Amino acid sequence: MSSSTPFQTNSKVIKWIEARLPIISTIDGALVSYPAPRNLNYWWNFGSLAGFMLVAQIVTGIILVMHYTPHVTMAFASVEHIMRDVNYGWLMRYAHANGASMFFVVVYIHILRGLYYGSYKAPRELLWWLGIVIFLLMMATGFMGYVLPWGQMSFWGATVITNLFGALPLVGGDIVTWLWGGFSVDNATLNRFFSLHYLLPFVICAVVFLHLWALHTTKSSNPLGIEIKGDQDTVPFHPYYTAKDAFGLSVFLMFFAYWVFFNPNALGHPDNYIEANPMVTPAHIVPEWYFLPFYAILRAVPDKLGGVLAMGGAIVILFFMPYLDFSKVRSAKFRPIYKQAFWLFVLDGILLGYVGAMPAEGIWILVGRIASVYYFAHFLVIVPLISWFEKPLPVPESIAKAVLGDAAKA
Amino acid sequence: MATSSSAGHDAHGSGQATRRDFLYVATVGLGAVAVGATVWPLIDQMNPAADVLALSSTEVDLSKIAEGQGITVQWRGKPVFVRHRTEKEIKEAEEVPLAELRDPETDDARVKAGKKQWLVMVGVCTHLGCIPLGQQGDYDGWFCPCHGSHYDSSGRIRRGPAPLNLPIPEYQFLSDTKIKIG
Ligand code: HEM
Ligand code: FES
């Protein structure tokens, strides 16, 4: 790749290291000379933003642990202690709590980017699957983190979600008792969630590593959805995309800072500032906003096991995207009908999120059911049908031709 | 080695188990048992610890609960509803045909003989574990606000996502005005 020169050095020290552990050339291959398509748009910024958020959560989280006490009698007070007494404790906690939301904003956009541009198609199936595994791990981490401050929403959210496993036939009840370590959510539950909340982000790091390994094997896709054909189609990651990612990061940080400094409790629930009380259920339990669409699907099914299966299926179905969509054309740019179906799907997801926040009464039950059916119909009916009958627009010959016009030399 | 392995093959050909086969099966079998024995403690440590398991029981004085009122007491970390039912509520509960019930159970089976006015049950919604609210819902019983389950005046599930009736804990009457739960 002439536009992306492989790693070279004259330094004796670096040569010595390289002969024993080729770590410097590996980093160079991933972040400096990595040949990236020259036409990546801003939707490609969200991968590096997700990486940034993972690091930010780990740093603020490790700091919170220095002041937090995982015990039912002290957890709530220790979070208040962080907020009021610890130097900059309020900043660490608000950054961590809002950071979780930012992490999900970024990852949702990152996933939708993949759905729009067909990034899940061969040869990137494994890359896509690893991404969904990360998403699942994030959900588990976010859920268990929300339990730690031991407020009313923490407690009742934990109760409702762990009870989901009780829907499993035969073993359900035993599994729930096993998860709780008792007969209700209690100290044993808080302690194990704390342990796992600390662990899972590092498991995510490991899967992110595999995700990037797969990425550097297949190389990035791009808004045109056609493969890199030669050097003229790429630019080296550094300085082109390091600069673009840094710019994107600074814009994103402004957004993040708005929540942390000007509206730090907007994304949380006020009931979580009431200490957990196992004898009183709040009138209206809602999970964090990033779980709402899935919560709406859970409630749409009037049967316990059915609801749980539907909610799980809503995520599992993403794994099958590479096969449900068998159109030869990757990018929605050249798929006029798929493009519309994509945006309808996004609207459906937003509607589901809205329904998830509403009480399960009256009209919301019906709206939730229709939106849930549409969610699955999108994957199981609409996408396969479109792949079948849609006539895609002509796809350009190469990235360089499309981007540079005739100036591109073959 | 070469000779013994070819001898093994020959033995296989004639359909006989060799010493090598035996060693192989025994090793793998023992290994599996060892792995299982090691993994079990790692899993079982998450089950309720001895102090949590130590059975607790709760006594409730009924004399202070007027007809039409109910109280909630805590037992094993869970709420237990103790309700003094009115004649109307008992009648409604008894008149429901069993065929109409999702989890068919007569009202008689849910109370102690001769003490029909006392309904004692674990106040944990059988859907996903919220605490239903009393004197609410469409069946003169309980309503769970979490996902909208309605229970009747016998605590039986009538509408909504919950699959089962509110469970009846083990309890006994110590006297006419005192019960012991657990
Ligand atoms: C994938 C990355 C992570 C996510 C999505 C995440 C998410 C969350 C969430 C949603 C909360 C509840 C915030 C609140 O409302 O107060 C929380 C709390 C907490 N997290 Fe994390 N977390 C992550 C990583 C970590 C790590 C790596 C640690 C420690 C090493 C950690 C330690 C804590 C502690 C101590 C709390 C309780 C204090 C509090 O509630 O603010 N977190 N986390
Ligand atoms: S927990 Fe009661 S209806 Fe879901």
Side-chain angles (χ1 to χ4, degrees), chain A residues 55-91:
Chain A
V55 174
Q57 288 304 90
I58 289 178
V59 171
T60 51
I62 289 176
I63 291 169
L64 286 173
V65 173
M66 296 180 185
H67 308 280
Y68 168 83
T69 314
H71 190 279
V72 287
T73 57
M74 288 185 277
F76 187 81
S78 76
V79 172
E80 283 312 300
H81 158 74
I82 292 172
M83 295 299 289
R84 292 155 198 261
D85 305 336
V86 175
N87 301 330
Y88 292 105
W90 59 272
L91 179 59

Side-chain angles (χ1 to χ4, degrees), chain B residues 15 36 38 45 92 101 114 175:
Chain B
T38 313
Q45 51 81 20
E92 273 173 1
L101 297 173
S175 70

Side-chain angles (χ1 to χ4, degrees), chain A residues 96-109:
Chain A
H96 193 76
N98 287 283
S101 282
M102 295 304 111
F103 200 175
F104 276 95
V105 169
V106 165
V107 165
Y108 276 129
I109 295 178

Side-chain angles (χ1 to χ4, degrees), chain A residues 160 163 281 285 295 298-299, chain B residues 124-132 143-151 157 159-162:
Chain A
V160 167
N163 263 310
T281 308
I285 298 187
Y295 193 58
L298 166 77
R299 295 195 306 187
Chain B
V124 175
C125 182
T126 59
H127 181 227
L128 297 174
C130 291
I131 302 178
F143 172 70
C144 182
C146 287
H147 317 94
S149 288
H150 297 254
Y151 296 91
I157 180 66
R159 193 146 55 77

Side-chain angles (χ1 to χ4, degrees), chain A residues 49-345:
Chain A
L49 291 180
F52 172 83
M53 278 322 302
L54 180 59
V55 174
Q57 288 304 90
I58 289 178
V59 171
T60 51
I62 289 176
I63 291 169
L64 286 173
V65 173
M66 296 180 185
H67 308 280
Y68 168 83
T69 314
H71 190 279
V72 287
T73 57
M74 288 185 277
F76 187 81
S78 76
V79 172
E80 283 312 300
H81 158 74
I82 292 172
M83 295 299 289
R84 292 155 198 261
D85 305 336
V86 175
N87 301 330
Y88 292 105
W90 59 272
L91 179 59
M92 294 305 125
R93 171 155 185 263
Y94 279 156
H96 193 76
N98 287 283
S101 282
M102 295 304 111
F103 200 175
F104 276 95
V105 169
V106 165
V107 165
Y108 276 129
I109 295 178
H110 190 63
I111 295 174
L112 288 173
R113 185 283 315 265
L115 287 174
Y116 186 87
Y117 291 109
S119 306
Y120 44 82
K121 290 189 186 182
R124 295 186 183 80
E125 301 97 322
L126 266 176
L127 181 56
W128 173 253
W129 293 336
L130 288 166
I132 301 168
V133 170
I134 295 172
F135 178 50
L136 285 168
L137 288 168
M138 275 177 67
M139 294 178 95
T141 309
F143 161 65
M144 293 198 259
Y146 197 61
V147 177
L148 302 185
W150 207 242
Q152 272 288 67
M153 280 298 157
S154 300
F155 182 89
W156 290 101
T159 299
V160 167
I161 301 298
T162 46
N163 263 310
L164 292 178
F165 293 91
L168 296 172
L170 298 179
V171 290
D174 292 338
I175 289 188
V176 174
T177 305
W178 178 72
L179 287 173
W180 288 340
F183 302 106
S184 59
V185 172
D186 210 331
N187 197 47
T189 326
L190 176 61
N191 272 283
R192 61 192 58 183
F193 279 17
F194 179 56
S195 169
L196 295 173
H197 185 69
Y198 206 135
L199 166 72
L200 287 189
F202 297 93
V203 177
I204 295 179
C205 285
V207 184
V208 165
F209 180 77
L210 296 178
H211 190 70
L212 292 179
W213 190 2
L215 175 71
H216 290 132
T217 307
T218 64
K219 303 279 178 283
S220 306
S221 183
N222 61 82
L224 294 172
I226 52 182
E227 290 295 334
I228 296 167
K229 299 221 169 85
D231 294 345
Q232 70 283 3
D233 289 344
T234 68
V235 289
F237 194 80
H238 179 74
Y240 293 95
Y241 289 113
T242 43
K244 191 169 179 170
D245 279 347
F247 174 69
L249 177 63
S250 44
V251 174
F252 170 74
L253 284 177
M254 289 194 264
F255 178 69
F256 187 2
Y258 162 76
W259 296 103
V260 171
F261 294 106
F262 296 97
N263 219 345
N265 288 308
L267 298 170
H269 197 291
D271 276 17
N272 225 26
Y273 281 107
I274 304 172
E275 191 167 4
N277 179 354
M279 302 302 282
V280 179
T281 308
H284 182 202
I285 298 187
V286 271
E288 296 136 287
W289 70 265
Y290 38 84
F291 293 135
L292 288 174
F294 301 105
Y295 193 58
I297 293 177
L298 166 77
R299 295 195 306 187
V301 185
D303 172 82
K304 186 164 160 178
L305 181 60
V308 174
L309 291 178
M311 183 170 76
I315 298 167
V316 169
I317 205 160
L318 287 169
F319 280 98
F320 293 93
M321 253 328 250
Y323 307 106
L324 294 169
D325 173 6
F326 45 87
S327 168
K328 296 237 155 45
V329 176
R330 230 180 247 139
S331 170
K333 203 174 166 132
F334 306 107
R335 303 188 56 195
I337 305 176
Y338 177 78
K339 189 193 277 183
Q340 293 173 27
F342 170 84
W343 287 112
L344 283 178
F345 173 72

